[in-house]
């Protein structure tokens, strides 16, 4: 890894979002080759869409998603920033490549994996830390605007939505994509580059 000054990266994710998961795996891959100092933050698709006109099917997904964001927020508040990424990894591995849709199972197994007590699962159904969860969410979303989703990334203060990728590239290809995304995002007049998705998330 490079010994240059670390690049400050902030990454906002909803644990239930498969596209955020793909992007987070890409950032993990880039960090093998570049000196990144990544801070992981929760955002919430439920909060993002609470006043939006979305389908009933999509809205039915929000209570489960909210449990995961509440859990990660509570862990961060009670155990510190260092727990956020391991807990995200433990949750996301079951939700995404694992395909689990049972939040009770996902949460209990994730807590065991990161060494938190089973009773900590109660936080997933509590609004005790909702103020902190919402503050984290809006800290990210206000950097890029309301008409985006998850993930949000900020690199040395320059924030952008995405990128939405599938599958997550590896090795030099991952680094080339990183350099390109950071380059276009750093131009003050750049706002959007998009094409229709032709594949679903490919977990490998």
């Amino acid at each position: 890894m490079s010994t240059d000054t670390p690049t400050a990266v902030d990454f906002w994710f909803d644990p239930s979002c498969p596209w955020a998961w793909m992007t987070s795996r890409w950032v993990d891959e880039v960090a093998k080759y570049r000196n990144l100092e990544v801070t992981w933050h929760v955002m919430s698709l439920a909060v993002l869409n609470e006043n939006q006109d979305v389908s009933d099917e999509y809205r039915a997904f929000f209570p489960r998603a909210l449990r995961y964001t509440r859990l990660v927020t509570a862990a961060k508040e009670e155990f510190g920033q260092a727990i956020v990424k391991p807990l995200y990894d433990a949750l996301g591995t079951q939700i995404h490549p694992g395909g689990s849709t049972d939040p009770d199972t996902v949460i209990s197994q994730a807590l065991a994996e990161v060494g938190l007590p089973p009773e900590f699962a109660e936080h997933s159904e509590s609004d005790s830390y909702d103020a902190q969860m919402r503050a984290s969410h809006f800290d990210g979303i206000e950097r890029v605007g309301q008409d985006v989703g998850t993930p949000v990334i900020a690199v040395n203060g320059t924030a952008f939505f995405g990128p939405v990728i599938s599958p997550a590239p590896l090795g030099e290809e991952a680094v080339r994509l990183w350099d390109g995304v950071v380059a276009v995002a750093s131009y003050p007049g750049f706002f959007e580059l998009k094409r229709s998705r032709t594949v679903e998330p490919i977990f490998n």
Side-chain angles (χ1 to χ4, degrees), residues 80-117:
Q81 180 65 44
I83 196 66
V84 173
K85 181 58 161 47
L87 184 54
Y88 177 32
D89 289 344
L91 291 167
T93 298
Q94 294 181 73
I95 296 167
H96 303 301
S100 178
T101 58
D102 177 10
D104 292 327
T105 299
V106 168
I107 288 169
S108 64
Q109 292 184 2
L111 291 176
E113 183 174 330
V114 300
L116 295 183

Side-chain angles (χ1 to χ4, degrees), residues 10-13 15 38-43 67-88 91 111 114 116-117 120 123-124 128-137 139 143:
D10 289 276
F11 191 112
W12 283 264
F13 64 92
V38 187
T39 304
W40 302 86
H41 312 269
V42 294
M43 61 181 294
R67 288 188 65 182
Y68 300 138
T69 55
R70 282 174 164 169
L71 185 76
V72 177
T73 301
K76 190 254 183 182
E77 293 300 315
E78 297 201 6
F79 298 101
Q81 180 65 44
I83 196 66
V84 173
K85 181 58 161 47
L87 184 54
Y88 177 32
L91 291 167
L111 291 176
V114 300
L116 295 183
F120 199 78
H123 287 290
S124 73
S128 298
Y129 293 111
D130 274 15
Q132 292 90 332
M133 183 265 290
R134 285 175 172 270
S136 177
H137 170 86
D139 181 30
R143 299 175 189 229

